[in-house]
Amino acid sequence: MWRYLVLYWHFFKARVKVMMEYRVDFLIGITSNIFTQGTSILFIAIVFQHIDAIHGWTFYEMMFIYAVAMLGRSLEHTFFDNLWMLGGQYIRPGNFDRILIRPVNALFQVVADRLQQDGIGSLIIGLIVLFTSTPHLDIHWGAAQVIWFIVMIISSGIIFLAVNLFFASLSFWMVDSLPIMYAVQRTSDFARYPMNIFGKGIRFVLTWIIPYGFTAFYPAAMFIDDSGFQNVAVWTPVAALISITIAYLLWNRGLRSFTSTGN
């Protein structure tokens, strides 16, 4: 473990130096992400100018859910975004062969090979929304609540990672599963809204099949007293552990089935 921490630190420093060589691009990436997320928040704000609540959920409760989603997504987006490139930049052109001959875990190499600055934009907007919404909610931030919140954010990031890793691993059989990854990732937008506004089918899929519900709504509901979902929300860390385990098992299965495109 210590060896991989040291290796990642060297990868991390190298990626930061590369980003700093193109500082304008770095700032544009962060700013564009903030603008994109800001337009989504603006849309919700416009809707709530005409209504008081959506299925019992107020504007600031919705913003709190959104903040949890952004903070969890920022972890995955910043440190694990290179999984999106697995098929197109590694398997299809034959670059994955180079990774396999190194005496280092293949997944570690793919993950450490990129640092995505756009994720910093998600982190910034998530923090802004969090600190804007919480003063309007009846949340008492003691030490236990802060620890639980950090656990929930980390669990959210792990679930985002697990879903992407699972569908990225399909590239070992399909060469490039990017279209599937993109289609699945779009469904995560549903998790930024209360689950009880959707039908039973959507709630079932987002809770038990593609567990995006545990990336935003359920973790946020843990801190809202009258949400009625605390019994489900408390299982968020378990959902994260199960999800990443299943995804990593599929990754290992894909490695054993991998055939170089150069053959």
Side-chain angles (χ1 to χ4, degrees), residues 189-219:
D189 292 343
F190 288 100
R192 300 176 184 176
Y193 300 91
M195 288 290 103
N196 57 348
I197 72 174
F198 302 118
K200 292 182 178 179
I202 294 178
R203 291 203 305 266
F204 180 82
V205 170
L206 293 178
T207 302
W208 307 113
I209 306 300
I210 304 175
Y212 277 136
F214 289 101
T215 64
F217 173 69
Y218 292 125

mmCIF file of all heavy atoms in Angstrom, residues 189-219:
data_model
loop_
_atom_site.group_PDB
_atom_site.id
_atom_site.type_symbol
_atom_site.label_atom_id
_atom_site.label_comp_id
_atom_site.label_asym_id
_atom_site.label_seq_id
_atom_site.Cartn_x
_atom_site.Cartn_y
_atom_site.Cartn_z
ATOM 1 N N ASP A 189 -28.363 12.064 -13.236
ATOM 2 C CA ASP A 189 -29.061 13.329 -13.033
ATOM 3 C C ASP A 189 -30.355 13.132 -12.243
ATOM 4 O O ASP A 189 -30.786 14.024 -11.506
ATOM 5 C CB ASP A 189 -29.372 13.995 -14.372
ATOM 6 C CG ASP A 189 -28.118 14.472 -15.090
ATOM 7 O OD1 ASP A 189 -27.065 14.581 -14.442
ATOM 8 O OD2 ASP A 189 -28.191 14.731 -16.309
ATOM 9 N N PHE A 190 -30.976 11.940 -12.393
ATOM 10 C CA PHE A 190 -32.207 11.671 -11.660
ATOM 11 C C PHE A 190 -31.973 11.672 -10.153
ATOM 12 O O PHE A 190 -32.863 12.016 -9.374
ATOM 13 C CB PHE A 190 -32.787 10.312 -12.072
ATOM 14 C CG PHE A 190 -33.386 10.293 -13.447
ATOM 15 C CD1 PHE A 190 -32.682 9.776 -14.522
ATOM 16 C CD2 PHE A 190 -34.661 10.792 -13.678
ATOM 17 C CE1 PHE A 190 -33.226 9.757 -15.796
ATOM 18 C CE2 PHE A 190 -35.223 10.782 -14.943
ATOM 19 C CZ PHE A 190 -34.504 10.266 -16.008
ATOM 20 N N ALA A 191 -30.757 11.263 -9.729
ATOM 21 C CA ALA A 191 -30.463 11.149 -8.301
ATOM 22 C C ALA A 191 -30.340 12.495 -7.618
ATOM 23 O O ALA A 191 -30.287 12.561 -6.388
ATOM 24 C CB ALA A 191 -29.178 10.341 -8.090
ATOM 25 N N ARG A 192 -30.298 13.578 -8.388
ATOM 26 C CA ARG A 192 -30.227 14.916 -7.799
ATOM 27 C C ARG A 192 -31.593 15.414 -7.348
ATOM 28 O O ARG A 192 -31.696 16.504 -6.798
ATOM 29 C CB ARG A 192 -29.636 15.894 -8.820
ATOM 30 C CG ARG A 192 -28.230 15.537 -9.270
ATOM 31 C CD ARG A 192 -27.758 16.489 -10.339
ATOM 32 N NE ARG A 192 -26.447 16.121 -10.847
ATOM 33 C CZ ARG A 192 -25.824 16.742 -11.847
ATOM 34 N NH1 ARG A 192 -26.411 17.792 -12.421
ATOM 35 N NH2 ARG A 192 -24.637 16.340 -12.265
ATOM 36 N N TYR A 193 -32.604 14.604 -7.599
ATOM 37 C CA TYR A 193 -33.962 14.956 -7.203
ATOM 38 C C TYR A 193 -34.484 13.909 -6.216
ATOM 39 O O TYR A 193 -33.999 12.778 -6.177
ATOM 40 C CB TYR A 193 -34.870 15.030 -8.432
ATOM 41 C CG TYR A 193 -34.426 16.049 -9.448
ATOM 42 C CD1 TYR A 193 -33.565 15.699 -10.494
ATOM 43 C CD2 TYR A 193 -34.848 17.363 -9.357
ATOM 44 C CE1 TYR A 193 -33.135 16.641 -11.423
ATOM 45 C CE2 TYR A 193 -34.435 18.319 -10.291
ATOM 46 C CZ TYR A 193 -33.581 17.942 -11.311
ATOM 47 O OH TYR A 193 -33.155 18.877 -12.231
ATOM 48 N N PRO A 194 -35.478 14.265 -5.404
ATOM 49 C CA PRO A 194 -36.029 13.293 -4.445
ATOM 50 C C PRO A 194 -36.546 12.047 -5.151
ATOM 51 O O PRO A 194 -37.281 12.138 -6.141
ATOM 52 C CB PRO A 194 -37.162 14.080 -3.771
ATOM 53 C CG PRO A 194 -36.763 15.511 -3.926
ATOM 54 C CD PRO A 194 -36.084 15.604 -5.251
ATOM 55 N N MET A 195 -36.215 10.882 -4.618
ATOM 56 C CA MET A 195 -36.619 9.637 -5.236
ATOM 57 C C MET A 195 -38.128 9.453 -5.256
ATOM 58 O O MET A 195 -38.667 8.783 -6.145
ATOM 59 C CB MET A 195 -35.983 8.453 -4.490
ATOM 60 C CG MET A 195 -34.492 8.280 -4.692
ATOM 61 S SD MET A 195 -34.024 7.718 -6.355
ATOM 62 C CE MET A 195 -33.449 9.267 -7.041
ATOM 63 N N ASN A 196 -38.825 10.045 -4.277
ATOM 64 C CA ASN A 196 -40.270 9.810 -4.204
ATOM 65 C C ASN A 196 -41.072 10.604 -5.231
ATOM 66 O O ASN A 196 -42.295 10.499 -5.269
ATOM 67 C CB ASN A 196 -40.796 10.089 -2.794
ATOM 68 C CG ASN A 196 -40.501 11.498 -2.317
ATOM 69 O OD1 ASN A 196 -39.716 12.219 -2.926
ATOM 70 N ND2 ASN A 196 -41.130 11.880 -1.231
ATOM 71 N N ILE A 197 -40.400 11.392 -6.075
ATOM 72 C CA ILE A 197 -41.133 12.063 -7.154
ATOM 73 C C ILE A 197 -41.185 11.191 -8.405
ATOM 74 O O ILE A 197 -41.881 11.523 -9.361
ATOM 75 C CB ILE A 197 -40.527 13.441 -7.502
ATOM 76 C CG1 ILE A 197 -39.188 13.279 -8.235
ATOM 77 C CG2 ILE A 197 -40.384 14.302 -6.262
ATOM 78 C CD1 ILE A 197 -38.613 14.591 -8.735
ATOM 79 N N PHE A 198 -40.450 10.071 -8.388
ATOM 80 C CA PHE A 198 -40.407 9.162 -9.534
ATOM 81 C C PHE A 198 -41.299 7.944 -9.272
ATOM 82 O O PHE A 198 -41.663 7.641 -8.133
ATOM 83 C CB PHE A 198 -38.979 8.700 -9.818
ATOM 84 C CG PHE A 198 -38.017 9.824 -10.094
ATOM 85 C CD1 PHE A 198 -36.923 10.035 -9.271
ATOM 86 C CD2 PHE A 198 -38.200 10.675 -11.170
ATOM 87 C CE1 PHE A 198 -36.033 11.062 -9.504
ATOM 88 C CE2 PHE A 198 -37.314 11.708 -11.430
ATOM 89 C CZ PHE A 198 -36.232 11.906 -10.594
ATOM 90 N N GLY A 199 -41.583 7.228 -10.343
ATOM 91 C CA GLY A 199 -42.340 5.991 -10.221
ATOM 92 C C GLY A 199 -41.520 4.891 -9.585
ATOM 93 O O GLY A 199 -40.300 4.986 -9.439
ATOM 94 N N LYS A 200 -42.188 3.813 -9.210
ATOM 95 C CA LYS A 200 -41.519 2.705 -8.520
ATOM 96 C C LYS A 200 -40.423 2.074 -9.374
ATOM 97 O O LYS A 200 -39.395 1.652 -8.853
ATOM 98 C CB LYS A 200 -42.547 1.640 -8.129
ATOM 99 C CG LYS A 200 -43.522 2.100 -7.055
ATOM 100 C CD LYS A 200 -44.484 0.977 -6.675
ATOM 101 C CE LYS A 200 -45.442 1.421 -5.568
ATOM 102 N NZ LYS A 200 -46.393 0.333 -5.205
ATOM 103 N N GLY A 201 -40.638 2.037 -10.689
ATOM 104 C CA GLY A 201 -39.643 1.430 -11.574
ATOM 105 C C GLY A 201 -38.330 2.179 -11.555
ATOM 106 O O GLY A 201 -37.259 1.582 -11.414
ATOM 107 N N ILE A 202 -38.399 3.504 -11.692
ATOM 108 C CA ILE A 202 -37.187 4.326 -11.679
ATOM 109 C C ILE A 202 -36.514 4.263 -10.319
ATOM 110 O O ILE A 202 -35.286 4.151 -10.222
ATOM 111 C CB ILE A 202 -37.522 5.786 -12.057
ATOM 112 C CG1 ILE A 202 -37.992 5.852 -13.517
ATOM 113 C CG2 ILE A 202 -36.300 6.684 -11.854
ATOM 114 C CD1 ILE A 202 -38.385 7.249 -13.963
ATOM 115 N N ARG A 203 -37.306 4.318 -9.239
ATOM 116 C CA ARG A 203 -36.736 4.239 -7.898
ATOM 117 C C ARG A 203 -36.009 2.913 -7.695
ATOM 118 O O ARG A 203 -34.926 2.869 -7.099
ATOM 119 C CB ARG A 203 -37.828 4.394 -6.829
ATOM 120 C CG ARG A 203 -38.430 5.780 -6.765
ATOM 121 C CD ARG A 203 -39.054 6.044 -5.402
ATOM 122 N NE ARG A 203 -40.032 5.042 -5.031
ATOM 123 C CZ ARG A 203 -41.335 5.145 -5.254
ATOM 124 N NH1 ARG A 203 -41.802 6.212 -5.897
ATOM 125 N NH2 ARG A 203 -42.164 4.218 -4.850
ATOM 126 N N PHE A 204 -36.580 1.834 -8.198
ATOM 127 C CA PHE A 204 -35.956 0.516 -8.051
ATOM 128 C C PHE A 204 -34.622 0.458 -8.789
ATOM 129 O O PHE A 204 -33.618 -0.018 -8.248
ATOM 130 C CB PHE A 204 -36.892 -0.578 -8.580
ATOM 131 C CG PHE A 204 -36.321 -1.968 -8.472
ATOM 132 C CD1 PHE A 204 -36.392 -2.673 -7.283
ATOM 133 C CD2 PHE A 204 -35.706 -2.566 -9.570
ATOM 134 C CE1 PHE A 204 -35.855 -3.952 -7.176
ATOM 135 C CE2 PHE A 204 -35.172 -3.841 -9.476
ATOM 136 C CZ PHE A 204 -35.246 -4.540 -8.279
ATOM 137 N N VAL A 205 -34.608 0.966 -10.026
ATOM 138 C CA VAL A 205 -33.373 0.926 -10.825
ATOM 139 C C VAL A 205 -32.282 1.772 -10.176
ATOM 140 O O VAL A 205 -31.128 1.332 -10.050
ATOM 141 C CB VAL A 205 -33.649 1.416 -12.259
ATOM 142 C CG1 VAL A 205 -32.336 1.618 -13.022
ATOM 143 C CG2 VAL A 205 -34.539 0.435 -12.996
ATOM 144 N N LEU A 206 -32.638 2.978 -9.719
ATOM 145 C CA LEU A 206 -31.645 3.897 -9.158
ATOM 146 C C LEU A 206 -31.233 3.530 -7.738
ATOM 147 O O LEU A 206 -30.299 4.123 -7.196
ATOM 148 C CB LEU A 206 -32.182 5.333 -9.178
ATOM 149 C CG LEU A 206 -32.380 5.949 -10.560
ATOM 150 C CD1 LEU A 206 -32.954 7.348 -10.433
ATOM 151 C CD2 LEU A 206 -31.065 5.991 -11.329
ATOM 152 N N THR A 207 -31.904 2.557 -7.146
ATOM 153 C CA THR A 207 -31.529 2.121 -5.800
ATOM 154 C C THR A 207 -30.814 0.779 -5.823
ATOM 155 O O THR A 207 -29.775 0.615 -5.164
ATOM 156 C CB THR A 207 -32.773 2.019 -4.894
ATOM 157 O OG1 THR A 207 -33.434 3.288 -4.844
ATOM 158 C CG2 THR A 207 -32.383 1.611 -3.481
ATOM 159 N N TRP A 208 -31.322 -0.175 -6.608
ATOM 160 C CA TRP A 208 -30.818 -1.542 -6.526
ATOM 161 C C TRP A 208 -30.099 -2.031 -7.778
ATOM 162 O O TRP A 208 -29.377 -3.023 -7.709
ATOM 163 C CB TRP A 208 -31.975 -2.496 -6.215
ATOM 164 C CG TRP A 208 -32.759 -2.075 -5.005
ATOM 165 C CD1 TRP A 208 -34.051 -1.644 -4.968
ATOM 166 C CD2 TRP A 208 -32.293 -2.016 -3.648
ATOM 167 N NE1 TRP A 208 -34.422 -1.320 -3.690
ATOM 168 C CE2 TRP A 208 -33.363 -1.547 -2.851
ATOM 169 C CE3 TRP A 208 -31.063 -2.316 -3.036
ATOM 170 C CZ2 TRP A 208 -33.264 -1.364 -1.479
ATOM 171 C CZ3 TRP A 208 -30.958 -2.131 -1.665
ATOM 172 C CH2 TRP A 208 -32.044 -1.670 -0.897
ATOM 173 N N ILE A 209 -30.254 -1.383 -8.912
ATOM 174 C CA ILE A 209 -29.591 -1.836 -10.141
ATOM 175 C C ILE A 209 -28.389 -0.948 -10.438
ATOM 176 O O ILE A 209 -27.245 -1.419 -10.466
ATOM 177 C CB ILE A 209 -30.570 -1.820 -11.337
ATOM 178 C CG1 ILE A 209 -31.824 -2.628 -11.018
ATOM 179 C CG2 ILE A 209 -29.862 -2.378 -12.579
ATOM 180 C CD1 ILE A 209 -31.554 -4.087 -10.699
ATOM 181 N N ILE A 210 -28.617 0.320 -10.694
ATOM 182 C CA ILE A 210 -27.545 1.301 -10.862
ATOM 183 C C ILE A 210 -27.693 2.265 -9.680
ATOM 184 O O ILE A 210 -28.507 3.185 -9.736
ATOM 185 C CB ILE A 210 -27.661 2.054 -12.201
ATOM 186 C CG1 ILE A 210 -27.684 1.066 -13.360
ATOM 187 C CG2 ILE A 210 -26.483 3.014 -12.375
ATOM 188 C CD1 ILE A 210 -27.926 1.715 -14.713
ATOM 189 N N PRO A 211 -26.960 2.070 -8.615
ATOM 190 C CA PRO A 211 -27.278 2.717 -7.322
ATOM 191 C C PRO A 211 -26.935 4.200 -7.232
ATOM 192 O O PRO A 211 -26.334 4.663 -6.255
ATOM 193 C CB PRO A 211 -26.450 1.893 -6.329
ATOM 194 C CG PRO A 211 -25.258 1.447 -7.113
ATOM 195 C CD PRO A 211 -25.784 1.189 -8.514
ATOM 196 N N TYR A 212 -27.326 4.969 -8.238
ATOM 197 C CA TYR A 212 -27.066 6.397 -8.206
ATOM 198 C C TYR A 212 -27.851 7.096 -7.095
ATOM 199 O O TYR A 212 -27.490 8.198 -6.679
ATOM 200 C CB TYR A 212 -27.412 7.026 -9.552
ATOM 201 C CG TYR A 212 -26.314 6.912 -10.584
ATOM 202 C CD1 TYR A 212 -26.602 6.561 -11.904
ATOM 203 C CD2 TYR A 212 -24.987 7.162 -10.251
ATOM 204 C CE1 TYR A 212 -25.600 6.473 -12.860
ATOM 205 C CE2 TYR A 212 -23.981 7.069 -11.196
ATOM 206 C CZ TYR A 212 -24.289 6.723 -12.500
ATOM 207 O OH TYR A 212 -23.287 6.629 -13.443
ATOM 208 N N GLY A 213 -28.939 6.476 -6.642
ATOM 209 C CA GLY A 213 -29.693 7.073 -5.548
ATOM 210 C C GLY A 213 -28.845 7.251 -4.301
ATOM 211 O O GLY A 213 -29.068 8.174 -3.509
ATOM 212 N N PHE A 214 -27.848 6.370 -4.136
ATOM 213 C CA PHE A 214 -26.962 6.452 -2.976
ATOM 214 C C PHE A 214 -25.818 7.454 -3.172
ATOM 215 O O PHE A 214 -24.967 7.591 -2.299
ATOM 216 C CB PHE A 214 -26.369 5.070 -2.666
ATOM 217 C CG PHE A 214 -27.371 4.105 -2.097
ATOM 218 C CD1 PHE A 214 -27.951 3.141 -2.897
ATOM 219 C CD2 PHE A 214 -27.739 4.170 -0.764
ATOM 220 C CE1 PHE A 214 -28.884 2.246 -2.384
ATOM 221 C CE2 PHE A 214 -28.666 3.290 -0.231
ATOM 222 C CZ PHE A 214 -29.242 2.323 -1.046
ATOM 223 N N THR A 215 -25.799 8.145 -4.312
ATOM 224 C CA THR A 215 -24.766 9.157 -4.535
ATOM 225 C C THR A 215 -25.229 10.550 -4.132
ATOM 226 O O THR A 215 -24.405 11.457 -3.993
ATOM 227 C CB THR A 215 -24.341 9.213 -6.015
ATOM 228 O OG1 THR A 215 -25.463 9.631 -6.810
ATOM 229 C CG2 THR A 215 -23.848 7.854 -6.492
ATOM 230 N N ALA A 216 -26.536 10.735 -3.976
ATOM 231 C CA ALA A 216 -27.042 12.087 -3.706
ATOM 232 C C ALA A 216 -28.247 12.083 -2.785
ATOM 233 O O ALA A 216 -28.184 12.564 -1.659
ATOM 234 C CB ALA A 216 -27.386 12.781 -5.024
ATOM 235 N N PHE A 217 -29.367 11.525 -3.269
ATOM 236 C CA PHE A 217 -30.606 11.663 -2.515
ATOM 237 C C PHE A 217 -30.557 10.993 -1.150
ATOM 238 O O PHE A 217 -30.847 11.631 -0.127
ATOM 239 C CB PHE A 217 -31.778 11.106 -3.316
ATOM 240 C CG PHE A 217 -33.054 11.071 -2.514
ATOM 241 C CD1 PHE A 217 -33.689 12.251 -2.157
ATOM 242 C CD2 PHE A 217 -33.595 9.872 -2.088
ATOM 243 C CE1 PHE A 217 -34.845 12.238 -1.387
ATOM 244 C CE2 PHE A 217 -34.747 9.849 -1.324
ATOM 245 C CZ PHE A 217 -35.376 11.032 -0.979
ATOM 246 N N TYR A 218 -30.215 9.717 -1.118
ATOM 247 C CA TYR A 218 -30.219 9.010 0.163
ATOM 248 C C TYR A 218 -29.211 9.593 1.159
ATOM 249 O O TYR A 218 -29.550 9.782 2.332
ATOM 250 C CB TYR A 218 -29.986 7.514 -0.050
ATOM 251 C CG TYR A 218 -31.132 6.824 -0.761
ATOM 252 C CD1 TYR A 218 -30.917 6.087 -1.917
ATOM 253 C CD2 TYR A 218 -32.428 6.920 -0.275
ATOM 254 C CE1 TYR A 218 -31.971 5.463 -2.573
ATOM 255 C CE2 TYR A 218 -33.492 6.300 -0.931
ATOM 256 C CZ TYR A 218 -33.252 5.572 -2.081
ATOM 257 O OH TYR A 218 -34.301 4.963 -2.740
ATOM 258 N N PRO A 219 -27.962 9.888 0.749
ATOM 259 C CA PRO A 219 -27.045 10.525 1.709
ATOM 260 C C PRO A 219 -27.574 11.858 2.237
ATOM 261 O O PRO A 219 -27.423 12.168 3.418
ATOM 262 C CB PRO A 219 -25.761 10.718 0.893
ATOM 263 C CG PRO A 219 -25.822 9.688 -0.162
ATOM 264 C CD PRO A 219 -27.275 9.563 -0.516
#
